């Protein structure tokens, strides 16, 4: 059975692989197949550098590891340490911080307006799939630390339900089918996602687009490399689509399926190991 380690490494690898082409238009860059220097921001990051997606995932993991339970206040405190003090980062400084996460952490209250439906809670929610007894209310509460709108919370629930189905040995097709019945109208297209073409898949930072893109990549490939490469090469919010796809791909295919060159390039692996529960 897959472990949290499989999923967290999947998140980190997808994040680091996609960050160099984040915000770039699909088809405007050579296909990404290995870790590259990240020059997206006002400074250069070495190949294998993960961003806020992985940092916040580690903060969530570390809180659960320390307390043995989900505690929203403690998680918020860990997020604050990341944002203000650079904890859970490779270079001692948070970067690539989304506006909704920044404002919610600084103000101590999750954003609940429609325009705050970015993918900042979805990208870090995968550890909840491994918390025994974590119900939908708890998933919502963890999302709502930063992203409190109903759409963001529902996206996180769908993602965790799919992850749990995969942990039970279900196929990706079955996991999506089982967990997209009875969803709200905005997520209804997930049921027919496998039939979609690449041109119809949006890879923006809107949480619905990110979830659709990540699931589509998993439904239309057959191994870890194929799924994560397909995700980051969609462009747009490439690091987060890669991270969201990578978390599920880690569960589906396991740590051993991640290309060795990607693992070797991944920075500060000891930090990932230290936060696992």
């Amino acid at each position: 059975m897959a472990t949290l380690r499989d999923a967290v490494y999947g998140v980190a690898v997808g994040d680091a692989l996609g960050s160099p082409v984040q915000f770039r238009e699909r088809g405007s860059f050579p296909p990404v197949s290995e870790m590259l220097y990240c020059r997206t921001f006002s400074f250069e990051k070495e190949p294998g550098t993960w961003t806020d997606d992985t940092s916040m995932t580690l903060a969530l993991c570390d809180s659960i590891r320390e307390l043995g339970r989900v505690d929203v206040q403690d998680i918020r405190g860990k997020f604050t340490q990341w944002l203000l003090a650079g904890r859970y980062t490779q270079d001692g400084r948070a970067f690539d911080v989304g506006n909704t996460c920044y404002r919610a952490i600084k103000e101590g209250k999750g954003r609940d307006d429609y325009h705050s439906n970015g993918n900042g809670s979805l990208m870090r929610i995968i550890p909840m799939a491994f918390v025994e007894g974590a119900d939908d209310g708890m998933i919502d509460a963890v999302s709502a630390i930063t992203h409190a709108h109903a759409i963001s919370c529902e996206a996180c629930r769908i993602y965790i339900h799919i992850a749990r189905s995969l942990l039970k040995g279900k196929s990706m097709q079955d996991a999506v089918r089982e967990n997209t019945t009875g969803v709200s109208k905005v997520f209804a297209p997930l049921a027919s996602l496998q039939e979609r073409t690449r041109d119809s898949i949006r890879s923006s930072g809107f949480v619905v687009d990110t979830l659709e893109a990540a699931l589509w990549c998993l439904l239309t490939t057959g191994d870890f490399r194929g799924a994560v490469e397909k995700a980051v090469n969609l462009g747009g919010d490439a690091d987060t689509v890669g991270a969201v796809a990578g978390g599920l791909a880690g569960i589906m295919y396991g740590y051993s399926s991640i290309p060795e060159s990607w693992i070797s390039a991944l920075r500060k692996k000891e930090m990932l190991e230290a936060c696992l529960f």
Side-chain angles (χ1 to χ4, degrees):
M1 186 176 183
T3 66
L4 176 64
R5 183 172 187 261
D6 299 313
V8 167
Y9 269 91
V11 169
V13 164
D15 180 11
L17 196 71
S19 63
V21 293
Q22 185 182 10
F23 309 131
R24 297 180 65 177
E25 185 178 349
R26 189 177 306 173
S28 69
F29 52 89
V32 176
S33 60
E34 295 297 339
M35 298 289 184
L36 304 171
Y37 279 94
C38 180
R39 301 180 178 91
T40 304
F41 307 95
S42 58
F43 40 81
E44 185 172 292
K45 294 289 185 180
E46 297 174 26
T49 298
W50 28 267
T51 74
D52 57 332
D53 306 57
T54 304
S55 290
M56 296 188 80
T57 300
L58 295 181
L60 174 56
C61 284
D62 203 31
S63 178
I64 297 169
R65 180 191 65 80
E66 286 185 357
L67 300 182
R69 67 182 189 279
V70 174
D71 184 296
V72 167
Q73 287 302 113
D74 189 74
I75 296 164
R76 181 180 285 112
K78 295 286 195 294
F79 290 166
T80 302
Q81 292 169 23
W82 158 70
L83 180 64
L84 301 183
R87 192 175 179 187
Y88 309 110
T89 69
Q90 296 129 114
D91 300 306
R93 176 185 175 187
F95 76 105
D96 190 23
V97 182
N99 290 332
T100 299
C101 285
Y102 181 84
R103 293 181 64 185
I105 294 168
K106 291 282 284 185
E107 296 169 5
K109 183 179 185 299
R111 309 290 299 178
D112 60 3
D113 59 293
Y114 178 80
H115 294 289
S116 294
N117 276 309
N119 50 29
S121 62
L122 179 66
M123 70 187 190
R124 56 164 163 87
I125 203 73
I126 195 69
M128 295 298 291
F130 297 86
V131 178
E132 188 174 351
D135 60 12
D136 284 355
M138 197 174 292
I139 296 167
D140 285 355
V142 172
S143 173
I145 296 171
T146 54
H147 292 67
H149 192 276
I151 290 175
S152 289
C153 291
E154 185 175 13
C156 288
R157 293 196 304 272
I158 292 169
Y159 184 67
I160 294 302
H161 293 170
I162 289 171
R164 288 174 173 165
S165 292
L166 295 173
L167 285 167
K168 293 175 183 176
K170 299 291 182 66
S171 69
M172 189 65 196
Q173 289 76 11
D174 287 345
V176 171
R177 183 173 60 251
E178 291 173 357
N179 295 294
T180 53
T181 57
V183 296
S184 65
K185 184 178 180 180
V186 70
F187 291 105
L190 293 175
S192 57
L193 195 55
Q194 195 166 1
E195 302 164 15
R196 302 262 296 275
T197 64
R198 188 173 188 260
D199 287 344
S200 75
I201 298 296
R202 297 179 296 273
S203 50
S204 79
F206 179 42
V207 68
V208 178
D209 290 349
T210 298
L211 182 60
E212 285 188 353
L215 296 181
W216 178 79
C217 291
L218 290 155
L219 285 165
T220 56
T221 54
D223 58 20
F224 187 97
R225 178 187 278 275
V228 175
E229 280 189 6
K230 196 168 195 175
V232 302
N233 283 301
L234 289 173
D237 205 352
D239 63 326
T240 300
V241 176
V244 173
L248 295 183
I251 291 173
M252 291 173 69
Y253 303 114
Y255 173 89
S256 63
S257 71
I258 303 174
E260 176 57 34
S261 61
W262 294 1
I263 292 290
S264 296
L266 196 65
R267 298 180 61 206
K268 292 291 181 77
K269 291 183 280 292
E270 67 275 12
M271 192 177 294
L272 274 65
E273 297 286 348
C275 293
L276 299 175
F277 59 83

